[in-house]
Amino acid sequence: MTTLEENSDPVNDPTTDYNIFDPEFVRDPYPTMTEIRESGCPIAHSNRWGGSWFPTRYEDVVAIAQEHEIFTSRDIIVVPRAAAQAEGPYAGVAAPPITSDPPDHHWHRRLILPIFAPQSVAKYEQGTRDLCNKLIDGFIAKGEADAGTDYAQQIPVRVIATMLGVPTEMADEFTGWVRGVLEVGLTDPKVRLESRLKILNFFRQQLDDRRANPREDDLITDLLNSGDKYPVTDQYVLGVCNLMLVAGIDTTWSAIGSSLWHMAQHPEHRKQLRDNPELWPTAIEELLRAYSPVTMARIVDRDTEFQGCPMKAGDRILMSFPAANRDPRQFDRPDDVILDREHNRHVAFGSGIHRCAGSNLARLELRVALQVWMERIPEFSLVDPATVIWAGGQVHGPRVCRVRF
Amino acid sequence: MCSIAAPEIFGSDELGHATVLIEGDVPVELQAKARRAQANCPEDAIIIEE
Ligand code: HEM
């Protein structure tokens, strides 16, 4: 039950039969989330896509994220993996720290945290600004652009490539591989495996190349050299590189895209930010809350009852941070974007031990991408709301979003 | 996050973990910012003692 055709029949009752790849849900998931959250059964279950639970209340999502011994990160993809993947040549390569459980999770995470501290990511600000300006130079004269493909999609991939020390000219290939794993691949196991192999083969060569021709000052080199402190293996380094690409690109690209999609439709918000630039930090958090791009998964370790739901060992739970972030029990007027929202303990970056390690970088990219756009293109609108194309499943955001200015 | 909401009070160490930059009581003019940081702390980790 893991292909699009097998799962395409219409949904009657989302509390027992939701379909996260239903085109309507992909486009606008929030009404369904509200329906489930306000039903008698706020933790829905569906047999589609190999079966999963879908908690929709903030409190429940956070509680599951905190209980990492019962709700493990053995598999964090929202649909079961293709059996073929486990047999592939890189079967043992995971994506630490996101797929690690304690005790290894601790050092897996500790090793990469320093590169994402606020003071470390600050050095990418100017480069990101220059990149955004250059992208806009490329289309501003045309009076029209695809804010998804021509802009949002182009930014995070180049920032990550720079950090890793791999060629930024390969941006389109990296993007294709990541989409192959996180978007197309979720409903097409063959594409998923192929894309994964491309990523891991590429990094395998990068590792070998650094051994043959030592370099300085890039993340892959730093990871390879940290063996004195931790039991670092090639498998671990490959896993981290894999994660950087997969976690750092689609996510931030979606956040930038959704924010521009929102701004294109809200002249009053564009004006509010122009008149009150001190609102930027809260505005960024609010956009992250309202359009949280990322849904993760957990695997239940042992039979357990959670909020009256009989969960069995091996069951999959969708960690819907987007649904949690629209819970009216936690946020006033959750479906409104309020750029100066005072209380905003959102979970777009997750919660607990796996909370996003790259959040400072993501915030920086999102802020710079939006600020540069709004400086250069203060007034813009959607060409046609009906032609916006969304991606969903693991990561939600607009892929094609034409705007006019 | 707290170092964005209240940079005068919070900083971050080389792992990006939050640190408190001031000693003793939070000055009156920063108390609103401290509360804002508390309300937005994603891990509910800030406790304000009155
Ligand atoms: C707006 C953009 C982003 C969003 C919304 C986001 C969201 C998330 C979420 C929800 C998690 C928690 C996963 C879980 O609970 O299983 C996570 C983990 C993670 N993210 Fe992000 N992320 C973003 C950007 C980035 C970037 C740019 C990077 C770095 C290149 C990154 C690296 C990571 C890593 C390494 C983890 C795993 C942390 C751990 O398991 O200890 N993320 N992210």
Side-chain angles (χ1 to χ4, degrees):
Chain A
M1 287 294 279
T2 51
T3 63
L4 265 182
E5 304 86 75
E6 290 166 46
N7 286 281
S8 62
D9 11 319
V11 175
N12 292 319
D13 177 358
T15 65
T16 55
D17 188 34
Y18 59 80
N19 176 6
I20 55 168
F21 295 106
D22 181 85
E24 192 47 36
F25 185 83
V26 167
R27 194 184 65 77
D28 182 14
Y30 306 110
T32 306
M33 291 172 178
T34 302
E35 188 179 341
I36 297 174
R37 197 188 300 108
E38 304 309 324
S39 74
C41 190
I43 303 179
H45 186 273
S46 169
N47 288 326
R48 292 183 200 242
W49 302 107
S52 59
W53 298 93
F54 186 174
T56 51
R57 290 195 182 174
Y58 182 93
E59 212 186 336
D60 292 340
V61 172
V62 170
I64 294 170
Q66 301 287 339
E67 278 284 352
H68 51 79
E69 283 178 15
I70 302 177
F71 306 112
T72 70
S73 291
R74 236 167 266 156
D75 191 0
I76 39 87
I77 301 290
V78 295
V79 295
R81 253 158 236 271
Q85 182 167 314
E87 292 151 19
Y90 295 102
V93 179
I98 215 164
T99 48
S100 320
D101 285 315
D104 285 343
H105 174 263
H106 183 70
W107 75 262
H108 287 173
R109 182 174 170 99
R110 216 186 144 83
L111 194 47
I112 60 164
L113 275 186
I115 42 178
F116 294 115
Q119 56 275 33
S120 321
V121 299
K123 64 171 177 282
Y124 300 104
E125 174 150 358
Q126 192 53 46
T128 308
R129 198 168 284 278
D130 296 343
L131 166 63
C132 294
N133 271 307
K134 211 170 114 216
L135 292 169
I136 294 179
D137 290 341
F139 55 67
I140 193 162
K142 294 186 205 145
E144 206 183 295
D146 179 347
T149 315
D150 300 338
Y151 192 67
Q153 175 185 326
Q154 305 296 331
I155 300 164
V157 60
R158 289 184 171 76
V159 176
I160 294 286
T162 308
M163 282 184 93
L164 287 168
V166 299
T168 49
E169 304 78 57
M170 288 180 63
D172 288 343
E173 276 168 281
F174 296 144
T175 302
W177 301 344
V178 172
R179 294 188 76 173
V181 172
L182 276 186
E183 294 178 24
V184 191
L186 291 186
T187 53
D188 187 338
K190 196 165 153 274
V191 171
R192 181 149 118 196
L193 180 61
E194 280 168 10
S195 309
R196 178 178 152 87
L197 287 181
K198 284 185 188 150
I199 294 176
L200 294 175
N201 279 330
F202 171 77
F203 283 119
R204 173 80 264 167
Q205 285 163 15
Q206 294 288 317
L207 258 60
D208 294 343
D209 182 59
R210 277 166 184 70
R211 288 232 166 78
N213 312 294
R215 304 195 201 176
E216 280 173 23
D217 207 27
D218 73 36
L219 179 54
I220 300 180
T221 303
D222 292 350
L223 287 172
L224 286 172
N225 291 343
S226 46
D228 49 336
K229 282 187 248 141
Y230 301 102
V232 173
T233 58
D234 278 13
Q235 188 152 310
Y236 167 79
V237 178
L238 276 178
V240 174
C241 294
N242 178 31
L243 176 62
M244 298 291 280
L245 217 54
V246 176
I249 295 183
D250 233 31
T251 50
T252 317
W253 156 22
S254 299
I256 298 171
S258 300
S259 301
L260 287 172
W261 172 82
H262 175 88
M263 287 298 168
Q265 300 170 89
H266 290 273
E268 75 287 8
H269 286 163
R270 300 198 294 265
K271 179 168 179 342
Q272 193 182 2
L273 278 169
R274 243 186 338 263
D275 296 348
N276 310 280
E278 74 286 357
L279 282 185
W280 271 104
T282 33
I284 294 294
E285 298 309 311
E286 177 64 349
L287 292 163
L288 281 165
R289 179 195 70 79
Y291 302 112
S292 301
V294 178
T295 299
M296 301 298 291
R298 292 291 184 269
I299 301 295
V300 179
D301 177 67
R302 47 189 182 267
D303 292 4
T304 186
E305 188 170 297
F306 181 80
Q307 299 285 34
C309 299
M311 297 181 174
K312 295 264 171 279
D315 279 4
R316 186 174 306 265
I317 305 179
L318 305 182
M319 299 298 281
S320 182
F321 301 115
N325 279 341
R326 298 263 187 148
D327 184 348
R329 290 157 197 77
Q330 180 68 20
F331 302 97
D332 271 351
R333 294 162 52 204
D335 293 323
D336 293 347
V337 171
I338 303 173
L339 295 181
D340 55 356
R341 192 181 279 281
E342 275 272 339
H343 294 263
N344 188 2
R345 198 174 281 162
H346 71 74
V347 285
F349 292 117
S351 171
I353 62 168
H354 291 286
R355 197 167 176 287
C356 182
S359 63
N360 298 309
L361 179 65
R363 287 191 170 106
L364 179 144
E365 292 182 45
L366 181 56
R367 176 175 53 79
V368 171
L370 296 183
Q371 282 176 339
V372 173
W373 179 288
M374 307 252 282
E375 276 158 33
R376 304 271 316 264
I377 309 179
E379 289 303 319
F380 58 108
S381 57
L382 295 181
V383 169
D384 174 8
T387 59
V388 177
I389 298 175
W390 293 82
Q394 197 95 31
V395 182
H396 180 246
R399 291 294 167 264
V400 174
C401 180
R402 297 211 69 83
V403 295
R404 186 181 292 130
F405 36 83
Chain B
M1 182 60 229
C2 47
S3 58
I4 299 177
E8 300 86 345
I9 309 175
F10 300 101
S12 54
D13 67 13
E14 77 288 354
L15 291 179
H17 289 149
T19 49
V20 177
L21 300 177
I22 53 179
E23 278 181 50
D25 292 344
V26 176
V28 181
E29 66 278 13
L30 292 180
Q31 284 176 2
K33 282 196 174 177
R35 272 183 222 295
R36 185 171 194 118
Q38 181 195 31
N40 291 289
C41 172
E43 296 298 337
D44 203 356
I46 300 175
I47 299 165
I48 296 181
E49 291 173 10
E50 302 287 339

